[in-house]
Amino acid sequence: MSEQTREVSTSPARRVVVVGAGMAGVQTAVALRDQGFTGTVTLIGAEPHQPYDRPPLSKAVLLGKSEGSAFDVDFEALGIELQLGREVLGVRPGEHELDTEAGPVPYDVLVLATGAEPIALPGTEGVPGVHLLRTLDDAERLRPVLARQHDIVVVGAGWIGAEFATAAREAGCAVTVVEAADRPLTGALPAEVAAPMAAWYGDAGAVLRTHARVQRVEHGAVVLDDGTRLPAGAVVVGIGARPATAWLSGSGIGLGAHREVVADTHLRTSAPDVYAVGDCASFPSGRYGERLLVHHWDNALQGPRTVAANIVGEATDEPLAVYDPVPYFWSEQFGRFVQYAGHHTSADTTLWRGDSSGPAWSVCWLRENRLAALLAVGRPRDLAQGRRLIEAGTPMDPELLADPAKPLKAAAV
């Protein structure tokens, strides 16, 4: 960092306010300090809990193996002001003020990191025994349910549904997963790739019912649209999430088709001095030629570094940092470690490495013989090598790539 950058960017008069105390918000605040910012940093969170990481909620916290997953960050030592249990109501970009239930908060730079919120099953709001799994309080409410080994119905066979079903089976619960589509992970993976994963449910002792729509939830039962009644001591809904941006209504900040904040390549919004990062924001990817909305942990970890760099350097003549990552996520389900890197929708070729009925296999997506995306089941080395090859845009030899006995990097041309 140049002396000019440091002198301008660390002016103590500048006030950065970060809305959202999840991974994206916390990492933005920490990255600002790491990159030399010495102005005021305020982190506002709606929940009263010390900021925490979410992935352990569907595993360790849910099963009682951990009491929480608070970030190992000394906010006081970093000079980061925490305002927790404070709901944000709106923002007035023209006045550079944030409206909260405790009154207005002025800012020089605002970072939107409010994440996503789970979609409720219509007609079940407030119904006893129906749960979502997004917050620490959600996990705490579900933990005794698992401990009592209730019959559990999970609605939705996506990533979170599979992870919760895994934890519930580990706890000894009888689990039925109902999915309206014809397979798990519809919308996330192509049919031929998701199809082998359907067998994982039965292998783990869970029941997967596809083409199954919930008509209503009654006391102790879920009724499907074909009249089937499924016993349910508890119902867990995992049918997706949407960006938590309702509070931005009327602000003038541009939102996209999914109600996400529309950010540019530098993660700036349509409003001056306002950035957006993590699950609540989409960004244009030069790598993939389309706008991406990524609801995964790694995006909330990587994006804040770009935001912080641009806040620190925005008042100088140095070029702003561009955010164009290779998306990455993982899921632990039914005894398998599943990893995915890239974005496969623009691919023109799909190659398999290994037998999908076995414990370890990968799928590679190519576009013009360059790796666009990779799914690895029990093959972490494939993922690590593939992620680097995607980043580099390296041409690949398809024949070598399809040989699971050869390291993936050996197919590089």
Side-chain angles (χ1 to χ4, degrees):
M1 182 183 299
S2 70
E3 288 304 315
Q4 180 189 17
T5 302
R6 184 173 295 278
E7 180 181 353
V8 174
S9 67
T10 60
S11 167
R14 298 180 78 218
R15 300 162 296 184
V16 175
V17 175
V18 182
V19 184
M23 170 62 79
V26 168
Q27 290 301 320
T28 298
V30 171
L32 281 166
R33 293 303 189 216
D34 286 346
Q35 297 185 35
F37 183 83
T38 58
T40 300
V41 178
T42 301
L43 184 64
I44 299 177
E47 294 182 56
H49 309 291
Q50 192 74 2
Y52 61 89
D53 202 5
R54 294 190 188 279
L57 298 184
S58 62
K59 306 175 186 73
V61 176
L62 198 58
L63 292 171
K65 298 177 181 178
S66 173
E67 291 303 313
S69 56
F71 291 111
D72 185 17
V73 175
D74 190 335
F75 294 99
E76 184 176 357
L78 290 173
I80 297 169
E81 179 192 7
L82 291 181
Q83 295 187 9
L84 304 177
R86 188 170 188 176
E87 186 179 355
V88 176
L89 305 176
V91 59
R92 288 170 283 119
E95 288 78 32
H96 277 58
E97 278 196 338
L98 193 67
D99 292 320
T100 77
E101 58 184 359
V105 177
Y107 66 85
D108 293 309
V109 181
L110 178 66
V111 181
L112 310 178
T114 46
E117 55 194 6
I119 297 172
L121 186 66
T124 63
E125 293 86 346
V127 175
V130 178
H131 302 264
L132 298 169
L133 179 55
R134 181 70 179 179
T135 69
L136 181 60
D137 289 339
D138 292 337
E140 292 291 356
R141 282 189 287 267
L142 275 165
R143 187 155 65 177
V145 173
L146 266 61
R148 290 193 293 268
Q149 298 185 336
H150 280 296
D151 289 340
I152 292 178
V153 172
V154 180
V155 183
W159 299 112
I160 191 65
E163 290 188 1
F164 179 82
T166 299
R169 285 298 300 139
E170 186 175 335
C173 300
V175 178
T176 300
V177 180
V178 296
E179 169 58 52
D182 62 352
R183 63 185 186 277
L185 296 169
T186 182
L189 293 173
E192 69 273 15
V193 176
M197 300 177 178
W200 299 355
Y201 289 78
D203 292 346
V207 175
L208 173 64
R209 295 182 66 116
T210 57
H211 299 287
R213 294 184 177 275
V214 176
Q215 184 181 84
R216 65 184 183 276
V217 177
E218 300 177 348
H219 179 69
V222 170
V223 181
L224 303 182
D225 61 0
D226 65 358
T228 301
R229 295 174 61 87
L230 303 174
V235 179
V236 177
V237 179
I239 57 175
R242 62 169 64 93
T245 59
W247 67 281
L248 292 173
S249 176
S251 69
I253 293 174
L255 302 181
H258 301 282
R259 305 299 294 168
E260 86 282 9
V261 181
V262 175
D264 66 10
T265 57
H266 310 295
L267 297 181
R268 298 175 301 188
T269 73
S270 61
D273 304 315
V274 181
Y275 289 80
V277 67
D279 290 4
C280 71
S282 65
F283 56 90
S285 171
R287 187 189 311 276
Y288 292 106
E290 61 182 284
R291 180 167 286 275
L292 300 182
L293 176 60
V294 180
H295 282 184
H296 293 297
W297 185 90
D298 191 66
N299 180 51
L301 175 67
Q302 303 296 339
R305 298 168 188 168
T306 298
V307 170
N310 289 335
I311 291 173
V312 168
E314 65 188 359
T316 75
D317 293 331
E318 295 183 8
L320 295 181
V322 171
Y323 189 60
D324 194 7
V326 173
Y328 166 75
F329 73 90
W330 79 95
S331 176
E332 295 178 78
Q333 51 184 271
F334 307 119
R336 293 167 173 84
F337 186 41
V338 183
Q339 296 172 282
Y340 177 96
H343 186 63
H344 65 265
T345 58
S346 64
D348 52 40
T349 303
T350 303
L351 294 176
W352 293 74
R353 286 168 57 82
D355 182 356
S356 63
S357 65
W361 47 276
S362 297
V363 180
C364 300
W365 287 273
L366 300 176
R367 186 169 184 269
E368 297 176 353
N369 280 349
R370 285 177 167 79
L371 201 59
L374 182 139
L375 175 80
V377 177
R379 291 181 68 103
R381 185 173 296 179
D382 276 6
L383 190 287
Q385 294 178 9
R387 193 176 183 183
R388 289 192 291 269
L389 290 164
I390 295 170
E391 288 173 346
T394 306
M396 307 295 291
D397 181 323
E399 186 175 342
L400 291 175
L401 191 63
D403 185 348
K406 290 185 168 57
L408 195 142
K409 63 182 179 182
V413 176

